[in-house]
Amino acid sequence: MKNVKQENPSQDSLVAKIDALEAAAAPLVANPALDAGRSQAVFEHAVQLRRRKAERPVFSRDEDGLCESIRQAGIREQGLPLDGALELLRDTVEQFGVQTGRGGSMAYIPGSENQLGALGAYLAAVSNPYTGVADMNPGAVVMQETLLRWLADSIGFPATSYGDLTSGGSIANLSAVVTAREAYGIRAAQVANHVVYCSTHTHHSISKALHIAGLAECPLRQIPCDARFRMDCEQLRGAMSRDRAAGLRPWLIIGSAGTTDTGGVDELSALADISAEAGCWLHVDAAYGGSFALCDEGRAVLRGIERADSVTLDPHKGLFAQGGIGAVLVRDGQRLCSAFRFSGSYLRDISDLISPADVSPELTRPFRALPLWLPLVVLGVAPYRAALAHKMALARHAHARLQRIRGLWVGPEPQLSILVFRCEEGDAANEAIARSFNNEGEYFISTTVLEGRVTLRMALLAPATSRALVDEFIDRLAVLVDERAGIDRASSAY
Ligand SMILES: Cc1ncc(COP(=O)(O)O)c(C=O)c1O
């Protein structure tokens, strides 16, 4: 009998080619011999990185364009040694920009430096389970469901609720808007007739979500806010009755539980009443404020959130997780499934269990649960509750101190942990104060426009934002405000 080799020489050369390609692609195959050394190098780099982070300013500009060296290194045919890649990282990404988790970081919504979360993210990437479909890794899905159940309990949602871990608040808002659209069966012809209500302080991700969801042509009523930057419920009622009289259908009310600008929390119980009377869907964007439900003080401010139809939370904000972990919760979990459950012939071997892919626009996704779960189970919830209560108390302390600075307009007492204030000298003075802090390096703050005027903000959320740092910030602010007003500090009442 002739052997195959003699029969088919082209098969022979194909086998040789495959073997050669296998050898060339071998660096992509896990190699335990190399793994230990590389892991050690990366861990050593990470330990040094933590030290360097603490030493460098909260904000540093890449004045000389050093980050361009990443582009220059490019993506080449032959790789760099790992050491070289780590050096490039050290001298660029790890050197410049804002460190959002540092104590002096008070711009926008701060982040955090969560060591256990980072280790969880590393482990999540090493184990790399397929987390889109329950059958593929039941443990990863149970972990996600456990976290979602705990989050739902924290805001008082019923057992019927279900949710998803998303990439952040924007996608959580999108999922909620799509769920509301499907729950009301709104099709293209009805879009122009279905009215959406939000406040003038609602986060822009809601408009983006409406746009992506094909709802940009829904009439959108941006209801003015009261003196505490909460949606004015009387004006909301007025707008709804005018719309009904005009033959339109009030459909979706967007409440905010902690606006980005001011931290204002809408009167959620009143919104729930209005929504129930009108047969609307109530979505609450609690991306920044929702986790304050973990402490007694915050739970009182958020009362009524448990009556919403859907809620956005953002663990990468108020639960101090690494960037890329948000959450959407829907009171009637079936609604979420109805909005997102699709199938394909290639998924025919999958069981009927509800999977993350059934409640999400995503199929394949990172293992988001682990970086959130690891610090929560290792540290327990108690430090989280304390950190959130601390930020609320610290914000009230800061508010009282800010009020003692002459020449400073100070906004209402913070409901959560964001304060707004401005120097009465005008927009340029406030911009100069922000620049002065940001150039100096220990603090990073951002401005917004309130009542048409440039306004300074302090957002207290990073666990490292201590009373000492806040007091020091206010002392320096007092000096800057005095300088702007030309007041002699010695004669100032501050
Ligand atoms: C109130 C609010 N909603 C939504 C978002 C969007 O969240 P993300 O950046 O996680 O997409 C933010 C972000 O700051 C926010 O403050």
Side-chain angles (χ1 to χ4, degrees), residues 109 167-171 173 203 205 258-260 285 287-288 314 316-317:
I109 306 291
S167 60
S170 302
I171 298 301
N173 281 335
H203 193 267
S205 57
T259 65
T260 317
D285 179 358
Y288 150 64
D314 225 357
H316 65 202
K317 296 185 171 67

